[in-house]
RNA sequence: CGGGACGUAGCACAGCUUGGUAGUGCGCCUGGUUCGGGACUAGGAGGUCGUGGGUUCGAAUCCCAUCGUUCCGACCA
């Protein structure tokens, strides 16, 4: 083992999970800190992951009839205050600009923590007939929330996200929209992030400020904590009334439309880091990995090696894959470690030995398994291999999720699940928020959601012992 | 926002107690030899000691403030 290994190494997972996470963020060059608390720099490698998530979602949004728009960065305080619940929810964490040029502003400008009110104001101007509905808008942007505790990707003062905002004629259609978008998020987990979610409805106390219903995708981290990874909301017509959004319906009556909003953020990157990472660093699922295949020439000055490496790259490029050939003058060992740390799913090696035998050596990042293939088989092997890797990574995460989802029949069992076994506890609940409050105070755990799958296992509330109405998933959370 | 720790070269740190020329390892640059799991060698570059103020002939070192990072709580995507 070389001296510098110590310097470059990341903290071991089991030694200090939080430190491991921070080490991976920085050493895999996903981000860097800026000089303002909670505002991070998304470095190219981290930003590229976000771009890949974006490109998947943007396509899905457009296929389902949504249009991208861009709203202003700032919201006049007076406008922000129109919807009461919304203000109460977000006022404590707003960043406000009070001076423009040399003039003190009469109506200070709030840097958007979310853009509901901007969309509402705009919708009130452009919606006047049922023929204007539905309006299905999405915005890619960043928002600012003045957070007290910040962590890279998981909680920042500024983060990148998309926020969808839609208006509909009927409650049914709006509720369906919220559920449809949740399904797209869930697909994203399964199809590109290789992360399984528990999906369900938020309890009253965990809902978005101003929402009638909040739906959520909840991921489970290896330390047993839940990470809310995306939410969709049905707003009813509350905002519409507050912002005077009205249209004439098919019966010539003036009515308020029904509204939704939904979003996922760069927090997903944090989720990917934790769900798939290990002691060697990042391990990226193939479909969002900025580099899917890295080619490392061995003894690249020997005749034919570099030419073969370039040949492989050209052939993989032709398949539409994201491929990197590292022909820098670092040693192969250094490159192996580097790309493992950065989580590149597949490594291919080409050296004199491979040239001689007409084959290609390689290794899979997620399980460190090495393989050898015939040169001629490259094209027909690599795409299915990426797909297999994705499936295996998803399966591994799913197995963990299932193994760490446990029914708790009593508070003692709940304690056992939350503090010893770790992960999600399924509990039966009578619907009284006091019970959830007690759980939170005693275990610092919250109701993550009432899962759509309400297969109950008892008719007694875990707290009160009264007749249970709902199945709730409880966990400690980020 | 409350409690703890930390801030000196890109990274990890020493120096501070007892004020007096800013150091070590890795990384980085140039050349040569290497190359199948973080190579070796010769030479070289790089620092407002987080920032602001104070004490002093003199501050990385002592004092005050402030900003940032991190951990534990409370709050939140």
């Amino acid at each position: 083992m070389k001296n510098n290994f110590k310097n470059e190494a990341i903290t071991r997972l089991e030694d200090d999970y939080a430190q491991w996470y921070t080490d991976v963020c920085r050493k895999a060059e996903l981000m860097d800190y800026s000089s303002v608390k909670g505002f991070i720099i998304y470095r190219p490698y981290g930003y590229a992951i976000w771009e890949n998530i974006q490109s998947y979602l943007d396509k899905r949004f457009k296929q389902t009839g949504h249009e991208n728009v861009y709203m202003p960065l700032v919201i006049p305080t007076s406008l922000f205050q129109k919807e009461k619940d919304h203000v109460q929810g977000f006022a404590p964490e707003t960043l406000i600009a009070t001076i423009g040029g040399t003039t003190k502003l009469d109506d200070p400008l709030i840097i958007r923590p979310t853009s509901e009110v901007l969309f509402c104001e705009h919708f009130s101007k452009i919606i006047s007939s049922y023929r204007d509905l539905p309006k299905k808008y999405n915005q890619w942007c960043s928002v600012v929330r003045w957070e007290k505790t910040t962590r890279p990707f998981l909680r920042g003062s500024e983060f990148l996200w998309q926020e969808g905002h839609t208006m509909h004629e009927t409650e049914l259609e709006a509720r369906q929209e919220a559920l449809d978008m949740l399904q797209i998020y869930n697909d994203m987990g399964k199809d590109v992030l290789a992360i399984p979610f528990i999906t369900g409805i938020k309890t009253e106390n965990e809902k978005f400020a101003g929402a009638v219903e909040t739906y959520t995708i909840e991921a489970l981290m290896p330390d047993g904590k839940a990470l809310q990874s995306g939410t969709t909301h049905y707003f009813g017509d509350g905002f519409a009334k507050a912002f005077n959004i009205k249209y004439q319906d098919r019966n010539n009556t003036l009515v308020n439309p029904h509204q939704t909003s939904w979003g996922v953020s760069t927090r997903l990157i944090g989720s990917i880091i934790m769900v798939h990472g290990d002691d060697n660093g990042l391990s990226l699922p193939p479909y969002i990995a900025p580099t899917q295949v890295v080619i490392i020439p061995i003894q690249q000055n020997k005749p034919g090696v570099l030419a073969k490496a370039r040949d492989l790259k050209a052939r993989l490029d032709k398949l539409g894959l994201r491929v990197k050939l590292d022909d820098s003058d670092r040693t192969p060992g250094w490159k192996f470690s580097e790309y493992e740390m950065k989580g590149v799913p597949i490594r291919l090696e080409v050296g004199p030995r491979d040239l001689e035998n007409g084959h290609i050596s390689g290794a899979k990042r997620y399980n460190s398994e090495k393989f050898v293939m015939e040169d001629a088989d490259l094209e027909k092997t690599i795409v299915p291999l990426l797909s297999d890797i994705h499936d295996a990574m998803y399966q591994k995460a799913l197995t963990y999720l299932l193994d760490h989802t446990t029914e708790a029949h009593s508070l003692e069992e709940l304690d056992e699940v939350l503090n010893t076994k770790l992960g999600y506890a399924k509990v039966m609940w009578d619907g009284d928020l006091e019970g959830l409050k007690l759980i939170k105070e005693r275990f610092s755990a919250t109701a993550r959601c009432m899962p759509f799958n309400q297969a109950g296992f008892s008719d007694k509330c875990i707290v009160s012992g009264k007749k249970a109405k709902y199945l709730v998933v409880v966990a400690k959370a980020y």
Side-chain angles (χ1 to χ4, degrees):
Chain A
M1 187 172 292
K2 303 292 177 262
N3 289 337
N4 67 349
F5 186 73
K6 223 177 289 164
N7 292 339
E8 291 296 318
I10 53 182
T11 307
R12 284 170 165 280
L13 262 161
E14 57 270 30
D15 288 350
D16 184 343
Y17 192 72
Q19 190 59 50
W20 169 85
Y21 176 81
T22 312
D23 284 354
V24 173
C25 286
R26 301 201 66 190
K27 300 227 160 99
E29 298 180 342
L30 299 176
M31 53 73 64
D32 200 359
Y33 295 105
S34 76
S35 53
V36 185
K37 178 183 162 68
F39 289 76
I40 61 166
I41 292 150
Y42 294 81
R43 298 187 64 183
Y45 199 64
Y47 195 78
I49 295 174
W50 180 238
E51 286 179 313
N52 290 332
I53 293 172
Q54 270 187 309
S55 100
Y56 172 86
L57 286 177
D58 203 60
K59 201 179 293 166
R60 296 290 308 266
F61 294 162
K62 285 172 180 162
Q63 281 167 351
T64 45
H66 300 86
E67 298 173 284
N68 283 336
V69 296
Y70 190 78
M71 292 285 162
L73 170 71
V74 292
I75 308 170
T77 306
S78 56
L79 179 66
F80 189 73
Q81 286 168 341
K82 281 196 175 179
E83 211 285 336
K84 223 176 59 192
D85 290 339
H86 193 63
V87 180
Q88 276 186 358
F90 283 103
E93 46 186 3
T94 50
L95 173 65
I96 306 179
T98 57
I99 299 173
T102 53
T103 314
K104 190 162 176 293
L105 302 176
D106 289 335
D107 194 358
L109 298 171
I110 294 173
I111 316 295
R112 61 180 169 219
T114 178
S115 307
E116 267 74 13
V117 302
L118 293 168
F119 277 90
C120 284
E121 188 191 37
H122 181 57
F123 284 145
S124 73
K125 292 177 186 164
I126 63 168
I127 295 174
S128 52
S129 153
Y130 70 89
R131 291 192 178 87
D132 297 325
L133 297 175
K135 274 276 176 289
K136 306 214 286 188
Y137 284 172
N138 176 65
Q139 165 166 258
W140 292 96
C141 66
S142 77
V143 289
V144 170
R145 298 180 187 178
W146 206 248
E147 295 288 351
K148 290 164 182 169
T149 307
T150 59
R151 297 191 68 191
F153 302 118
L154 299 175
R155 172 158 291 104
S157 298
E158 179 189 22
F159 54 90
L160 306 177
W161 79 345
Q162 59 71 215
E163 46 178 325
H165 295 269
T166 68
M167 285 292 191
H168 306 265
E169 277 190 77
T170 65
E171 167 169 358
L172 189 68
E173 187 183 306
R175 281 184 183 272
Q176 192 58 49
E177 167 80 5
L179 289 170
D180 287 348
M181 300 326 285
L182 194 78
Q183 186 57 48
I184 286 179
Y185 291 158
N186 202 37
D187 290 349
M188 165 188 69
K190 186 159 196 298
D191 297 342
V192 308
L193 309 182
I195 296 176
F197 298 114
I198 284 187
T199 56
I201 305 171
K202 284 287 185 187
T203 53
E204 191 62 27
N205 54 332
E206 299 282 337
K207 276 187 338 193
F208 179 84
V212 171
E213 207 83 89
T214 291
Y215 305 107
T216 182
I217 49 170
E218 299 279 331
L220 185 61
M221 303 300 110
D223 61 352
K225 287 164 87 172
L227 185 67
Q228 180 175 309
S229 303
T231 45
T232 74
H233 317 286
Y234 168 62
F235 282 139
D237 58 8
F239 276 89
K241 281 182 172 139
F243 286 85
N244 202 28
I245 309 169
K246 285 185 216 147
Y247 71 95
Q248 278 173 289
D249 68 10
R250 293 158 204 266
N251 306 316
N252 199 27
T253 313
L254 214 49
V255 293
N256 300 113
H258 295 261
Q259 187 174 3
T260 79
S261 84
W262 27 275
V264 295
S265 73
T266 38
R267 175 178 255 195
L268 290 172
I269 297 173
S271 195
I272 292 163
I273 295 168
M274 288 195 277
V275 168
H276 301 302
D278 58 27
D279 277 336
N280 291 323
L282 205 56
S283 179
L284 293 173
Y287 299 123
I288 48 103
T291 301
Q292 296 170 304
V293 180
V294 63
I295 300 166
I296 299 178
I298 315 287
Q299 298 190 44
Q300 62 195 44
N301 57 341
K302 293 274 168 66
V305 172
L306 217 41
K308 176 43 78 179
R310 290 189 181 121
D311 168 59
L312 296 186
K313 172 158 166 51
R315 286 157 66 194
L316 292 175
D317 280 344
K318 211 176 274 179
L319 296 177
L321 299 177
R322 299 184 288 270
V323 185
K324 179 184 169 100
L325 164 60
D326 187 347
D327 57 359
S328 70
D329 60 2
R330 322 215 67 136
T331 62
W334 188 92
K335 293 175 187 173
F336 292 172
S337 301
E338 177 71 7
Y339 294 106
E340 269 164 24
M341 187 174 68
K342 295 186 119 179
V344 176
I346 294 178
R347 171 181 87 225
L348 295 181
E349 303 165 32
V350 201
R353 221 156 63 201
D354 301 294
L355 287 186
E356 210 171 293
N357 303 331
H359 65 214
I360 306 163
S361 309
K364 295 183 259 184
R365 169 62 180 88
Y366 87 101
N367 64 357
S368 307
E369 205 176 280
K370 298 194 177 182
F371 58 81
V372 175
M373 70 173 93
E374 294 300 315
D375 183 337
D377 292 342
L378 178 71
E379 282 86 349
K380 69 178 183 197
T381 306
I382 212 85
V383 172
L385 185 58
L386 284 167
S387 171
D388 290 347
I389 288 171
H390 171 88
D391 292 347
M393 290 178 78
Y394 178 80
Q395 205 52 49
K396 191 173 161 190
L398 181 61
T399 301
Y400 180 84
L401 173 66
L402 295 176
D403 286 349
H404 290 82
T405 304
T406 316
E407 292 174 3
H409 296 82
S410 65
L411 292 178
E412 290 71 35
E413 285 184 25
L414 182 60
D415 184 42
E416 166 76 15
V417 173
L418 294 175
N419 293 314
T420 307
K421 186 179 174 191
L422 305 180
Y424 288 126
K426 284 185 174 175
V427 305
M428 298 307 295
W429 176 52
D430 63 5
D432 184 352
L433 289 172
E434 286 302 313
L436 297 180
K437 212 171 136 191
L438 181 144
I439 287 175
K440 187 172 180 185
E441 277 164 13
R442 192 177 302 182
F443 304 108
S444 6
T446 47
R448 302 320 305 156
C449 70
M450 298 179 283
F452 290 124
N453 179 0
Q454 280 282 311
F457 56 87
S458 161
D459 52 8
K460 270 170 102 177
C461 173
I462 187 171
V463 183
S464 69
K466 291 180 195 161
K467 186 168 171 52
K469 289 185 190 156
Y470 308 102
L471 173 68
V472 179
V473 171
V474 171
K476 299 188 182 185
Y478 273 95

